[in-house]
Amino acid sequence: MPAVPDLVRSHLAAAYPGPVAGASVTFLGTRPLNVDRFGPDRTGVVRYATAGVSQEPMHPATATVADPLRGPRAELVLSLRPGRDEVLRTLAVLAATPQVEGLVLGAGATIDLRQPLWPGARVSAVLLGDDELVPPLDLVAAGAVPDRDGVEPVRFYPVLPMTNDEAALARARGAGHLRQLWRDADTDLLDPQRVSALTR
């Protein structure tokens, strides 16, 4: 059977053609995680994407039994204009949370790292979006897992950086409220130097 990370990287390369570079990061007690850099594209956008989270389905820390095949699978995609390659390790930290903390990554999830996502950044937390920028990857059709009922595809969640006060608002009022605030303020989420939408 083909390795899931290899399938993920090929799937991403089809969605984001262009120069590719990356890094492999291993945290104590976890499987290796790859973070690849795609681009910049013609508009100057660089994509940073994980490959390795989806090797196994995610289960909450409270689960008494972890099904080795069934359960949600995810990878993360961060888009910036221009790129900040220092974010590679930070994205790997986010990708390790299912293994380390039993966090199930999905649309609307918020993760607060309590430190800048890259040196000098104003953003220190992330919201996982629900925009399907990359189509789901069917692992059964790709021959990576047995053909069984309930095997979910790999979903690719956009990583939306948040400032401290934006993260606090998302926790208090919900992710939908913050997304509306960003729309109302015409916030450029691709700008690595943007200020909080709450200061406008």
Side-chain angles (χ1 to χ4, degrees):
M1 290 185 178
V4 172
D6 292 340
L7 289 171
V8 167
R9 297 174 97 175
S10 297
H11 192 71
L12 287 164
Y16 300 126
V20 179
S24 179
V25 180
T26 303
F27 301 100
L28 183 63
T30 68
R31 297 182 304 275
L33 292 165
N34 296 306
V35 183
D36 293 327
R37 178 188 194 272
F38 297 87
D41 64 14
R42 290 177 296 177
T43 65
V45 176
V46 176
R47 317 280 183 180
Y48 299 94
T50 64
V53 187
S54 58
Q55 288 188 74
E56 296 177 358
M58 298 174 289
H59 302 283
T62 55
T64 55
V65 178
D67 190 309
L69 289 177
R70 297 175 180 84
R73 298 178 190 248
E75 298 292 351
L76 304 177
V77 181
L78 171 65
S79 304
L80 294 173
R81 185 199 311 113
R84 289 289 187 274
D85 286 357
E86 302 94 331
V87 81
L88 286 166
R89 181 172 176 81
T90 302
L91 200 55
V93 171
L94 295 172
T97 54
Q99 294 184 64
V100 176
E101 302 178 18
L103 180 65
V104 176
L105 302 176
T110 60
I111 308 172
D112 192 345
L113 294 176
R114 304 185 185 279
Q115 61 182 13
L117 301 191
W118 56 85
R122 298 184 178 94
V123 288
S124 57
V126 301
L127 167 68
L128 300 189
D130 54 7
D131 308 319
E132 299 246 348
L133 299 178
V134 180
L137 171 59
D138 187 335
L139 295 178
V140 174
V145 297
D147 187 357
R148 298 187 184 177
D149 292 338
V151 174
E152 297 187 33
V154 179
R155 300 192 181 279
F156 298 83
Y157 293 103
V159 175
L160 309 176
M162 300 186 290
T163 61
N164 286 336
D165 52 356
E166 289 173 341
L169 179 65
R171 288 191 296 270
R173 304 287 296 276
H177 185 86
L178 177 60
R179 294 292 295 269
Q180 186 60 52
L181 176 66
W182 281 338
R183 286 191 289 268
D184 292 344
D186 197 23
T187 302
D188 183 1
L189 297 176
L190 302 179
D191 181 2
Q193 301 190 36
R194 74 173 183 87
V195 298
S196 169
L198 276 71
T199 65
R200 298 184 177 185

